[in-house]
């Protein structure tokens, strides 16, 4: 399937929490689990106050630090989304540590974060959050469609919100969630340029190096053992003969 | 049945052996449950989190073994630490002969005391790796939530590399144990006098030649094994 994405239009979000509840019910999340949260952000100075509802949920980074760091492969990428194989999660919490958005949490010893409704999308349905949104703030489709829609919405917003912009086109290799922001990301509590931690040198460098060195030492000593053993027994025989 | 008298030399006291096997057991549990986290073919072991629990139980035992050593046999611990970091000119001579030792020869080496230079380096690296593994492991365990991406990266790098070092040291340790028949030292506490003479002549000379330091055991002489060469020889003679 093509690379998919979601659109979240903050200028349309009412903060009604319908998506939060729909996600929780639709995905049958355990008590204490919540994959979508809505945070209320206020900026500006009285009387020029402005506000927005900002989602806190997995943004499905293309270069996802959580996927890079996950030791068991429980976190993986598919069709632009970051999926979770909950059975493979060991609950180590490394993903919690490295996510620049602080999204994954541990609930009952395993990771809890939006695992995407890719199953629904593949059946031609919409994700739970998208289908309940009464304001048309959410949408799901191919990434190109979503980006085009986001651009159109930003253009339409420019009169009312001169600082309106797209978020997620480039951050972390491109997010799987494209946001239409009425204000600069910093004002909304989003990092303008989240850093991709240099985790690749651990997983692609040090881990194979460690395993390779260990395998090499086993191989070397395995081969040398036959030579050394034979020569040791020979030396032992010789010293016994001399001794007697 | 014909018997012969074989002399055995006390190498490790009971406390030392208990600490050794506890440490070794914990180490292998840690190694396997740790490999499950970095080697995909073993990752099924890590799924579900049982291996994490085992890793932590073993980690506590691993962490406590030096303290246990101090309690059970303080002299052993003190000698271990002192010898691991004391090097002499003779050690350099021994190291020059290491390639031959690696391949099964001891006759070219200068006579050694209780531990040879190879064992000293092995012990020293093990001690250093122990602290690196424990420190980084504790950081990963207790620092969760406050390490941040950089801290996690640093801790896992140190943890992986020091564990790789210790695993490679262990491979060498097992290798020499089986090349030179040194296993009884850690199962019974005794090594054969022959082993002691070949590898630690100075140490053998320095200990009292009486029980329990040196004991005599009646041993059956094994039937000579028929080897192909020997039979050919017999036939030639016959």
């Amino acid at each position: 399937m093509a690379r998919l994405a979601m659109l979240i239009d903050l200028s349309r979000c009412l903060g009604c929490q319908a998506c939060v509840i729909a996600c929780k019910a639709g995905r049958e999340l355990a008590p204490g689990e919540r994959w979508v949260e809505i945070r209320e952000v206020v900026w500006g100075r009285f009387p020029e106050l402005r506000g927005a509802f900002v989602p806190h949920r997995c943004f499905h980074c293309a270069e996802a630090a959580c996927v890079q760091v996950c030791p068991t492969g429980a976190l993986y990428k598919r069709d632009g989304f970051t999926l979770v194989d909950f059975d493979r999660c060991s609950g180590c919490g490394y993903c919690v540590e490295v996510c620049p958005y602080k999204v994954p949490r541990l609930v009952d010893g395993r990771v809890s974060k939006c695992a995407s409704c890719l199953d629904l999308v593949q059946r031609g349905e919409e994700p739970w959050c998208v289908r309940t949104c009464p304001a048309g703030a959410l949408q799901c489709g191919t990434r190109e469609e979503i980006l085009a829609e986001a651009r159109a919405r930003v253009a339409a917003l420019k009169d009312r919100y001169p600082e309106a912009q797209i978020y997620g086109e480039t951050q972390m290799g491109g997010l799987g969630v494209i946001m239409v922001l009425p204000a600069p990301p910093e004002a909304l509590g989003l990092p303008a340029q989240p850093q991709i931690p240099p985790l690749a040198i651990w997983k692609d460098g040090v881990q194979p190096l460690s395993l390779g060195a260990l395998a090499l030492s086993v191989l070397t000593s395995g081969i040398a053992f036959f030579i050394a053993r034979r020569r040791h027994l020979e030396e032992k025989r010789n010293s016994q003969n001399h001794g007697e | 049945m014909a018997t012969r008298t074989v002399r055995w030399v006390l190498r490790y006291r009971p406390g030392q052996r208990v600490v050794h096997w506890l440490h070794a057991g914990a180490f292998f549990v840690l190694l396997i449950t740790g490999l499950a986290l970095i080697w995909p073919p073993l990752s099924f072991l890590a799924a579900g989190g049982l291996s994490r629990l085992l890793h932590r139980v073993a980690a506590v035992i691993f962490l406590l073994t030096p303290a246990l050593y101090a309690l059970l046999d303080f002299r052993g611990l003190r000698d271990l630490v002192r010898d691991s970091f004391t090097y002499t000119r003779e050690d350099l001579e021994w190291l020059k002969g290491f390639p031959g030792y690696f391949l099964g020869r001891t006759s070219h080496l200068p006579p050694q005391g209780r531990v040879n230079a190879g064992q000293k380096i092995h012990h020293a690296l093990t001690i250093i790796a122990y602290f690196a593994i424990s420190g980084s492991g504790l950081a990963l365990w207790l620092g969760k939530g406050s390490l941040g991406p950089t801290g996690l990266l640093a801790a896992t790098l140190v943890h992986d590399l020091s564990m790789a070092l210790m695993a490679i040291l262990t491979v060498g340790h097992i290798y020499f144990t089986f090349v030179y028949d040194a296993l009884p030292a850690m199962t019974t506490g005794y090594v054969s006098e022959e082993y002691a003479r070949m590898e630690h002549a100075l140490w053998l000379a320095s200990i009292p030649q009486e029980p329990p330091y040196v004991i005599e055991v009646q041993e059956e002489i094994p039937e000579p094994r028929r080897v192909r060469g020997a039979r050919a020889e017999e036939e030639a003679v016959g």
Side-chain angles (χ1 to χ4, degrees):
Chain A
M1 201 179 272
R3 190 174 167 194
L4 299 170
M6 302 236 323
L7 176 74
I8 305 182
D9 185 347
L10 267 60
S11 73
R12 294 198 188 183
C13 178
L14 307 166
C16 71
Q17 311 275 340
C19 54
V20 176
I21 304 304
C23 172
K24 204 165 159 42
R27 296 272 68 154
E28 295 175 15
L29 300 184
E33 272 190 301
R34 176 173 286 196
W35 289 354
V36 181
E37 267 177 45
I38 304 293
R39 292 179 179 170
E40 203 176 333
V41 176
V42 179
W43 72 96
R45 212 175 263 246
F46 185 81
E48 296 294 309
L49 284 176
R50 310 212 101 170
F53 298 103
V54 181
H56 184 72
R57 53 190 285 176
C58 178
F59 295 127
H60 300 281
C61 317
E63 293 174 26
C66 60
V67 172
Q68 280 185 39
V69 83
C70 179
T72 59
L75 291 159
Y76 61 102
K77 296 295 297 183
R78 181 166 299 163
D79 299 339
F81 291 125
T82 304
L83 274 59
V84 188
D85 179 347
F86 293 102
D87 292 333
R88 292 184 73 178
C89 176
S90 75
C92 70
Y94 290 178
C95 54
V96 178
E97 215 55 73
V98 298
C99 175
Y101 295 103
K102 297 265 165 259
V103 168
R105 291 191 301 143
L106 289 181
V107 177
D108 288 340
R110 64 164 177 74
V111 65
S112 173
K113 78 157 198 73
C114 168
S116 103
C117 291
L118 190 60
D119 52 340
L120 299 183
V121 177
Q122 281 167 341
R123 290 207 304 261
E125 296 171 41
E126 286 182 321
W128 286 102
C129 56
V130 175
R131 68 168 81 167
T132 50
C133 181
L138 299 171
Q139 206 170 308
C140 185
T142 68
R143 199 157 187 273
E144 289 87 63
E145 284 169 15
I146 293 298
L147 272 170
E149 174 70 17
R151 287 202 186 90
R153 292 196 185 193
V154 166
L157 279 174
K158 281 287 183 187
D159 286 345
R160 223 163 16 120
Y161 299 101
E163 290 187 294
Q165 55 190 276
I166 292 179
Y167 184 86
E169 194 169 2
T170 56
Q171 284 83 359
M172 299 296 284
L175 303 182
V177 170
I178 304 296
M179 277 181 279
V180 171
L181 307 183
E186 296 90 336
L188 299 163
L190 292 164
Q193 286 304 328
Q195 292 298 309
I196 303 174
L199 293 163
I201 65 156
W202 171 36
K203 243 195 153 176
D204 302 338
V206 171
Q207 283 190 358
L209 188 82
S210 309
L211 285 172
L214 181 56
L216 192 69
S217 73
V218 171
L219 191 71
T220 311
S221 52
I223 294 167
F225 181 78
F226 293 99
I227 304 165
R229 188 71 190 149
R230 203 184 61 230
R231 291 175 46 157
H232 171 64
L233 292 176
E234 189 182 39
E235 193 175 62
K236 227 153 102 167
R237 258 196 316 277
N238 288 342
S239 78
Q240 273 166 4
N241 292 344
H242 281 293
E244 281 158 15
Chain B
M1 185 89 44
T3 58
R4 65 178 170 197
T5 306
V6 182
R7 283 154 66 87
W8 290 82
V9 187
L10 181 65
R11 184 104 174 115
Y12 294 108
R13 296 177 288 273
Q16 294 178 300
R17 303 197 313 266
V18 167
V19 170
H20 174 268
W21 289 118
L22 266 181
H23 200 64
F27 172 79
F28 279 107
V29 172
L30 288 167
L31 180 68
I32 291 163
T33 52
L35 276 178
L37 284 181
I38 72 165
W39 194 33
L42 280 181
S43 71
F44 71 93
L45 290 173
L50 178 66
S51 74
R52 275 180 59 231
L53 181 68
L54 284 173
H55 200 77
R56 288 178 176 188
V57 171
V60 171
I61 296 171
F62 185 78
L63 278 167
L64 289 181
T65 44
L68 189 68
Y69 200 178
L71 278 176
L72 291 179
D73 192 332
F74 185 75
R75 181 157 62 98
L77 177 65
R78 192 196 55 201
D79 290 351
L80 171 73
V81 174
R82 190 195 52 215
D83 290 345
S84 301
F85 298 100
T86 316
Y87 294 87
T88 61
R89 198 178 296 273
E90 286 72 37
D91 290 326
L92 195 65
E93 286 304 309
W94 189 93
L95 286 173
K96 282 183 190 157
F98 179 76
Y101 179 71
F102 183 70
L103 288 174
R105 291 279 155 89
T106 57
S107 53
H108 63 296
L109 297 167
Q112 296 295 300
R114 194 180 68 85
V115 284
N116 62 42
Q119 288 166 330
K120 285 183 180 181
I121 292 176
H122 176 92
H123 291 158
L125 289 176
T126 302
I127 291 169
I128 293 166
Y130 167 84
F131 283 107
I133 291 167
S134 306
S136 55
L138 282 171
L140 285 168
W141 185 354
L142 306 174
K144 189 168 281 182
S146 55
L147 281 175
T150 318
L152 179 89
L153 182 66
T156 49
L157 286 185
V158 172
H159 206 60
D160 284 8
L161 288 173
S162 51
M163 196 60 187
L165 173 66
M166 196 133 167
I168 289 165
L169 287 169
T170 305
V171 171
H173 182 60
I174 295 170
Y175 170 82
F176 285 114
T177 300
F178 285 100
V179 166
Y180 291 108
D181 301 308
L183 190 62
M186 273 304 165
T187 51
T188 67
Y190 284 84
V191 291
S192 67
E193 189 194 35
E194 185 180 34
Y195 167 88
R197 195 179 60 245
M198 289 173 92
E199 303 226 14
H200 303 283
L202 297 179
W203 168 70
L204 179 61
S206 75
I207 56 173
Q209 303 294 308
E210 61 197 35
Y213 302 100
V214 177
I215 57 170
E216 294 188 342
V217 178
Q218 296 296 315
E219 199 179 83
E220 278 178 21
I221 298 176
E223 289 288 311
R225 250 197 308 171
R226 281 184 166 272
V227 285
R228 216 171 293 141
R231 187 190 294 174
E233 214 170 279
E234 264 171 38
E235 281 168 4
V237 173

